[in-house]
C-alpha cells in the first residue's frame, strides 16, 4: 500500500520503530545541512547538484529537482529544432530564426518590436540603460525585486543608475502612496538624481511566485504617466502570471512600456530572454546589448528553442501550478502540523513554506530531503532525493517545472512524509 494514503501520524506509527538514522547517515546529513545553510536565499541559483548516497551505496534513486525552473533541459523536439535551425549573422540582422522569434514575441506581447538577449539579467540591465539615459538617473524598484537583490547591482555598477526602493508587499505589489512619495521633483536641482523609471516584477519571485493584480499594474502605469516616467516589467515568469490569470500576456503588458521575458525557465529553452517595447527603445537596446557583449552571431540555433518555448510550452505551465498546489496541500495535511503554508499565495509554480518545528531548521529539512536515509528504500520502494533550497525567514523554496511530473510530485510528497516520520521518531527517542 502506498505511503501517500496515510497521514503523517499514522505512518509514523506503522514504520519500523527500530529504524533510526545511523551515525553514517547523520554524518552525511550534517554535512549536507552545512552546504545548504550556505545556500541562502541569495544563493539559490547555485548550479551545483548535490547528491547523497543511499545506505550501502544504493543505486535505485529517483531525483526530484525542485531547486529552480532554471534546471530544465530541452527535449528531443527542441533539440531537433535547434539542430535544423536556419542561421545567419544576427549582429548583422541576418539570422532568419532570430528574426522570426523576435516577430513572434513582439506580436504575442503586442509590442512594436522585440530583441533576443542571452540572459534575463542582461535584458533587465539593457532596459535600465535605455530608459535611464544619463548616468546618475534613478529608478524605483521593490526592495525584494530580482533586479535589486539578485543582479549584482548591475544598474549602479555598469550603468551608473541609482536605485531607490519601495517595500515589496506579501502579494508582490507595493504601496502606491509610498511609490509616489519616492518620485523626485524639481529637476535639474543639483542635489538629486532624476527619476526616470519604475520597475515591477511579475511573477514576484521572492514572495513565492505571486501574480501582480491587473488593477495594481493599471495604477502604477497611471502614476508613471502622471509624472512622465516609464514602466519596465521584469517578466521573467510573466507567462506563468498570464496562465494563472487566464489572460493573454498582452493583457498584462498593456500597462507597461517594456518587458523582459525569460525563455529558459518554465518555458524550457536552454538559454535566452526576450526584451520587448517600442521600436525606438529596441533600436537603442541593440546598441546596449552589443556594448555588454550580448551580440551573438549564428544565434538561430538558440532562437529555434525559443520559438518552440513561446509557441508550444506556455499552455503546459498550468500543470506546474497544479503540482505546486498539490505539494503545498500535502504539507498542510501533515499531522502533526510541522509546516505553514498560505494556500492563497500559491498562485503559480513557486512554493514558499515555513517550518514550525523548532528542532527542524530549513537547512536540516532540505538536507534530509536530499539524502537517502536508512530504511527509505524498504518503506518507499526506492530512494528519493528531493532537492530544494532553504530560503530566508525560516522558510523553504521549491519550484515546479517541465522536468517535474505529477508522479514526481507524489514521490516528493512521500519523501516529505518519510522525513517527517523519521524526525518524529528521533525526537521521541531523544525524549
Amino acid at each position: 500500500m502506498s505511503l501517500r494514503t496515510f497521514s503523517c501520524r499514522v505512518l509514523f506509527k506503522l514504520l519500523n520503530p527500530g529504524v533510526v538514522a545511523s551515525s553514517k547517515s547523520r554524518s552525511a546529513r550534517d554535512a549536507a545541512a552545512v552546504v545548504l545553510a550556505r545556500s541562502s536565499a541569495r544563493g539559490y541559483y547555485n548550479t551545483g547538484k548535490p547528491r547523497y548516497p543511499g545506505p550501502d551505496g544504493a543505486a535505485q534513486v529517483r531525483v526530484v529537482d525542485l531547486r529552480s525552473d532554471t534546471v530544465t533541459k530541452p527535449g528531443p523536439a527542441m533539440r531537433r529544432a535547434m539542430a535544423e535551425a536556419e542561421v545567419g549573422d544576427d549582429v548583422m540582422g541576418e539570422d532568419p530564426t532570430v528574426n522570426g522569434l523576435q516577430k513572434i514575441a513582439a506580436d504575442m506581447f503586442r509590442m512594436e518590436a522585440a530583441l533576443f538577449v542571452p540572459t534575463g539579467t542582461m535584458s533587465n540591465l539593457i532596459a535600465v540603460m535605455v530608459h535611464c539615459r544619463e548616468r546618475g538617473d534613478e529608478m524605483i524598484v521593490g526592495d525584494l525585486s530580482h533586479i535589486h537583490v539578485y543582479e549584482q547591482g548591475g544598474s549602479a555598477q555598469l550603468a551608473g543608475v541609482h536605485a531607490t526602493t519601495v517595500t515589496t508587499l506579501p502579494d508582490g505589489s507595493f504601496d502606491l502612496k509610498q511609490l509616489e512619495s519616492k518620485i523626485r521633483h524639481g529637476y535639474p536641482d543639483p542635489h538629486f538624481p532624476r527619476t526616470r523609471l519604475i520597475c515591477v516584477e511579475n511573477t514576484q519571485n521572492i514572495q513565492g511566485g505571486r501574480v501582480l493584480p491587473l488593477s495594481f499594474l493599471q495604477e502604477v502605469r497611471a502614476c508613471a504617466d502622471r509624472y512622465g516616467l516609464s514602466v519596465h516589467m521584469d517578466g521573467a515568469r510573466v507567462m506563468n502570471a498570464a496562465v494563472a490569470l487566464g489572460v493573454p500576456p498582452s493583457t498584462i503588458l498593456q500597462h507597461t512600456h517594456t518587458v523582459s521575458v525569460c525563455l529558459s525557465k518554465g518555458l524550457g529553452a536552454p538559454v535566452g530572454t526576450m526584451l520587448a517595447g517600442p521600436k525606438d527603445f529596441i533600436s537603442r537596446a541593440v546598441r546596449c546589448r552589443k556594448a555588454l557583449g550580448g551580440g551573438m552571431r549564428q544565434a538561430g540555433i538558440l532562437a529555434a528553442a525559443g520559438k518552440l518555448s513561446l509557441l508550444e510550452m506556455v499552455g503546459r505551465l498550468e500543470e506546474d501550478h497544479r503540482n505546486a498546489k498539490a505539494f503545498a496541500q500535502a504539507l498542510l495535511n501533515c499531522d502533526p502540523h510541522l509546516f505553514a503554508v498560505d494556500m492563497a499565495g500559491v498562485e503559480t509554480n513557486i512554493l514558499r513554506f515555513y517550518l514550525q518545528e523548532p528542532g527542524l531548521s530549513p537547512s536540516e529539512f532540505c538536507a534530509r530531503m536530499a539524502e537517502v536515509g536508512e530504511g527509505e528504500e524498504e518503506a518507499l520502494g526506492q530512494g528519493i532525493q528531493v532537492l530544494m533550497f532553504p530560503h530566508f525567514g525560516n522558510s523553504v523554496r521549491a519550484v515546479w517545472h517541465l522536468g517535474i511530473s505529477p508522479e514526481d510530485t507524489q514521490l516528493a510528497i512521500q519523501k516529505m512524509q518519510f522525513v517527517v516520520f523519521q524526525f518524529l521518531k528521533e525526537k521521541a527517542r531523544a525524549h
Side-chain angles (χ1 to χ4, degrees), residues 167-189:
T167 303
T168 303
L169 300 177
D171 69 350
S173 68
F174 32 80
D175 182 80
L176 291 162
K177 290 184 179 179
Q178 186 187 28
L179 168 65
E180 192 165 10
S181 73
K182 295 286 185 170
I183 298 172
R184 311 276 187 169
H185 302 287
Y187 180 83
D189 186 309

Side-chain angles (χ1 to χ4, degrees), residues 29-292:
R29 185 168 65 245
D30 291 344
V34 171
V35 172
L36 288 164
R38 291 172 182 162
S39 301
S40 67
R42 296 170 184 268
Y44 72 86
Y45 282 124
N46 181 354
T47 56
K49 188 168 184 178
R51 294 184 64 89
Y52 305 100
D56 303 319
Q60 298 300 316
V61 177
R62 181 77 166 264
V63 178
V64 181
D65 193 341
L66 303 178
R67 291 173 299 163
S68 176
D69 46 9
T70 61
V71 303
T72 57
K73 297 177 181 179
M78 188 172 284
R79 289 179 181 271
R80 185 164 55 252
M82 294 170 69
E84 298 173 356
E86 185 180 356
V87 299
D89 192 317
D90 179 48
V91 175
M92 298 181 183
E94 297 175 354
D95 191 302
T97 308
V98 171
N99 294 340
L101 170 62
Q102 292 173 164
K103 179 67 164 56
I104 290 169
D107 291 345
M108 184 176 289
F109 306 154
R110 292 197 180 178
M111 299 280 188
E112 290 183 352
L115 181 67
F116 184 49
V117 179
T119 72
T121 295
M122 182 184 288
S123 184
N124 283 331
L125 178 57
I126 290 171
V128 171
M129 292 171 70
V130 176
H131 284 301
C132 300
R133 304 178 187 183
E134 300 177 17
R135 296 183 66 85
D137 281 347
E138 183 175 68
M139 64 178 181
I140 303 173
V141 297
D143 63 347
L144 295 182
S145 66
H146 196 282
I147 288 176
H148 186 63
V149 176
Y150 291 122
E151 297 182 7
Q152 207 184 101
S155 57
Q157 182 183 166
L158 301 173
V161 174
H162 181 258
T164 191
T165 62
V166 289
T167 303
T168 303
L169 300 177
D171 69 350
S173 68
F174 32 80
D175 182 80
L176 291 162
K177 290 184 179 179
Q178 186 187 28
L179 168 65
E180 192 165 10
S181 73
K182 295 286 185 170
I183 298 172
R184 311 276 187 169
H185 302 287
Y187 180 83
D189 186 309
H191 297 90
F192 308 114
R194 181 179 184 177
T195 305
R196 291 275 199 180
L197 177 65
I198 301 170
C199 294
V200 294
E201 182 181 340
N202 198 14
T203 63
Q204 216 293 332
N205 181 350
I206 289 181
Q207 296 291 38
R210 298 304 301 268
V211 178
L212 296 185
L214 292 175
S215 58
F216 167 73
L217 293 173
Q218 185 175 13
E219 291 179 286
V220 169
R221 178 59 182 267
C223 179
D225 289 346
R226 196 156 54 243
Y227 294 102
L229 308 179
S230 297
V231 178
H232 171 69
M233 178 178 286
D234 174 2
R237 297 180 176 90
V238 74
M239 293 306 194
N240 292 88
V243 168
L245 291 175
V247 300
S250 58
T251 299
I252 297 173
L253 300 178
Q254 65 180 314
H255 303 301
T256 71
H257 294 91
T258 59
V259 66
S260 173
V261 181
C262 280
L263 306 173
S264 58
K265 293 185 170 69
L267 297 182
V271 66
T273 289
M274 301 310 301
L275 179 62
K279 287 183 179 178
D280 63 333
F281 170 88
I282 293 299
S283 178
R284 286 180 281 137
V286 171
R287 287 185 53 81
C288 292
R289 185 185 69 172
K290 181 66 173 175
L292 295 174

Side-chain angles (χ1 to χ4, degrees), residues 65-66 68-69 71-72 266 316 320 349 399-405:
D65 193 341
L66 303 178
S68 176
D69 46 9
V71 303
T72 57
R316 60 148 307 280
D320 298 339
N349 65 322
V399 186
W400 274 258
H401 50 83
L402 65 88
I404 305 299
S405 65

